[in-house]
Amino acid sequence: MEEKTIEMITKLVMEAMNQPKNEEQGFIVPIGVSARHVHLTQADVETLFGSGYELTKKKELMGGQFASNEVVTIVGLKLRAMENVRILGPVRKASQVEISATDAIKLGIKTPIRESGDTKGSAPIAIVGPKGVVYLQEGCIIAKRHIHMSPEDAVKAGVQNGDTVSVKVENERGTTFNHVQIRVDKSFTLEMHIDTDEANAAKISTGDTVVIIK
């Protein structure tokens, strides 16, 4: 076989291997399982940890976010509590707690499924730190499942910011997730976020993949 022919075949094979989308497979998205966590304003950080306190980074996340070294206790109705809930930074304009449906049952609160940031009319919850307590009259949600992607990935997948899609998990459970929201930003890395309840039910771990269904 001629050298040029070998080079051409090699190039075609490499392109096929690196292409995340084709008619048979669909668009493949890696999964990140999101555990319960807290977002805080700077004022609430200082209430919980002391005047002038700033969050410290434990691990960098996408979009400029990070998992902090700081953890808190969240308290629901009838003083049901969960300890060591991690704070994600940087600070936000409004404080928010994201939990799973199982967490909500344990805490004794009725928590709506919402997009992150949509906390109006959501569940009340208390956040306890080493220096103080913050009580949110509303602010606790179950995060709506979603896919982060860059504009380039959105073009490849044939979707736009705000679209809702279904995805399929090709494992022994064979689960299909509906109502998956698309979020597009140039700072995002391609990843679908689901909570621990969804992951456990579908037997999914971080790093597994799903396929967007057309």
Side-chain angles (χ1 to χ4, degrees):
M1 187 178 292
E2 295 183 2
E3 184 176 347
K4 289 185 178 180
T5 302
I6 295 174
E7 290 178 356
M8 180 183 68
I9 293 173
T10 302
K11 181 180 179 181
L12 291 173
V13 170
M14 292 301 295
E15 288 178 351
M17 291 176 63
N18 293 326
Q19 178 57 263
K21 180 184 179 184
N22 60 55
E23 292 182 357
E24 294 181 355
Q25 286 187 321
F27 190 83
I28 300 172
V29 181
I31 295 174
V33 179
S34 181
R36 66 183 77 101
H37 60 272
V38 176
H39 299 282
L40 295 173
T41 63
Q42 180 58 35
D44 286 347
V45 168
E46 295 188 31
T47 297
L48 297 172
F49 293 93
S51 179
Y53 193 92
E54 295 185 359
L55 298 175
T56 58
K57 292 183 180 180
K58 177 181 176 68
K59 180 182 178 181
E60 292 283 353
L61 304 174
M62 74 173 68
Q65 293 193 85
F66 61 88
S68 75
N69 291 297
E70 290 75 22
V71 295
V72 292
T73 297
I74 56 176
V75 183
L77 300 179
K78 300 179 181 179
L79 298 180
R80 297 177 184 177
M82 289 185 171
E83 300 179 337
N84 298 317
V85 180
R86 194 162 304 280
I87 301 170
L88 301 190
V91 294
R92 291 192 173 189
K93 294 181 180 179
S95 293
Q96 171 181 301
V97 179
E98 296 183 28
I99 62 175
S100 70
T102 298
D103 291 340
I105 293 171
K106 291 180 179 178
L107 291 169
I109 55 179
K110 294 182 179 180
T111 311
I113 299 173
R114 297 281 185 82
E115 180 182 357
S116 181
D118 181 10
T119 59
K120 186 175 181 180
S122 59
I125 197 161
I127 306 170
V128 182
K131 300 292 186 179
V133 178
V134 170
Y135 177 72
L136 303 180
Q137 292 186 337
E138 54 185 20
C140 186
I141 66 169
I142 298 169
K144 184 177 181 181
R145 60 181 75 108
H146 55 278
I147 297 174
H148 290 283
M149 60 174 60
S150 67
E152 293 78 13
D153 285 326
V155 171
K156 292 176 183 177
V159 296
Q160 297 180 352
N161 185 55
D163 283 355
T164 299
V165 299
S166 295
V167 303
K168 185 175 182 180
V169 183
E170 295 288 2
N171 63 11
E172 59 191 306
R173 281 293 175 91
T175 307
T176 297
F177 290 108
N178 298 317
H179 311 300
V180 182
Q181 188 170 36
I182 300 295
R183 297 184 189 174
V184 181
D185 189 273
K186 62 182 180 181
S187 66
F188 288 162
T189 301
L190 183 63
E191 191 170 62
M192 176 176 170
H193 286 175
I194 58 176
D195 65 30
T196 50
D197 279 359
E198 295 168 315
N200 290 337
K203 206 170 183 181
I204 295 171
S205 301
T206 292
D208 291 345
T209 60
V210 298
V211 177
I212 293 179
I213 301 171
K214 288 295 185 180

